[in-house]
Amino acid sequence: MMPERTLAKTHLLTDIPEAQINTLNGRCRWRNFEQEELILNLNDKSTDVYFIVQGEVRVTVFSESGRRVIMRDLKPGDHFGEYAAIDGDPRSATIVAMNRTVVAQMPSETFNNLLVEHPVLALKVMRAMVGVIRTLNERVVEFSTLGVKDRIHAELLRLAQAGRIVEGSGRISPPPTHAEIAARISTHREAVTRELKKLEREGIIEKTKGSIVIIDIEKFEKVVSNARSGKAD
């Protein structure tokens, strides 16, 4: 079943009147992407903004040696591409569809006019950017001060906090592959495999077919916090 082609359910545009949403729907180019299909490439000079109506996309960058670093995943209701729309510079990351994905591609001129016309949207964009900056700062500190084991723990905690917390347990679903976790924290898959097996043996995590569960999320948060502050467990 094809999703309704409307921007009404996108997080950024929830405060826009319905009549204007209908007008914006007509100004967008609606595009379908299959799993693993490239949507945007690093350093592209396009400036359109994309709103996800169906599916998920992955934001990645590549080092000069070709190593992939996963920055974040985006879901229905999210948007991407606003950096280039605002400053006109080339794209800062590569965007790939994780599964069958439908996006609304909005011209940068239309997007920027919206920010001027609706200051609440500009405030939402600024808050989102601040959130990205805070996360990047956190990761820079982790890369500079934490060993691989502690970086794995910190990333698991981030993923759990972005998922569901139920009765004190954090659930990461669907579970990322070991290679994907490694690409998030700049290490190798083998290191992730060893540490996850160790955490499972110690009863800290539980792996199921559809998720990774951190049994006691509060206790795990303290472990990560201690590592970040240099304290012993």
Side-chain angles (χ1 to χ4, degrees), residues 140-157:
V140 167
V141 172
E142 288 173 3
F143 288 159
S144 302
T145 62
L146 299 184
V148 171
K149 178 193 76 170
D150 292 324
R151 295 208 306 275
I152 293 170
H153 294 179
E155 189 60 30
L156 288 175
L157 179 61

Side-chain angles (χ1 to χ4, degrees), residues 16 18 33 46 48 81 85 97 110 118 124 153 157 170 193 222:
I16 300 298
E18 182 179 356
F33 294 90
S46 61
D48 291 348
T110 300
H118 299 280
K124 284 184 177 181
H153 294 179
L157 179 61
T193 299
K222 290 178 180 178

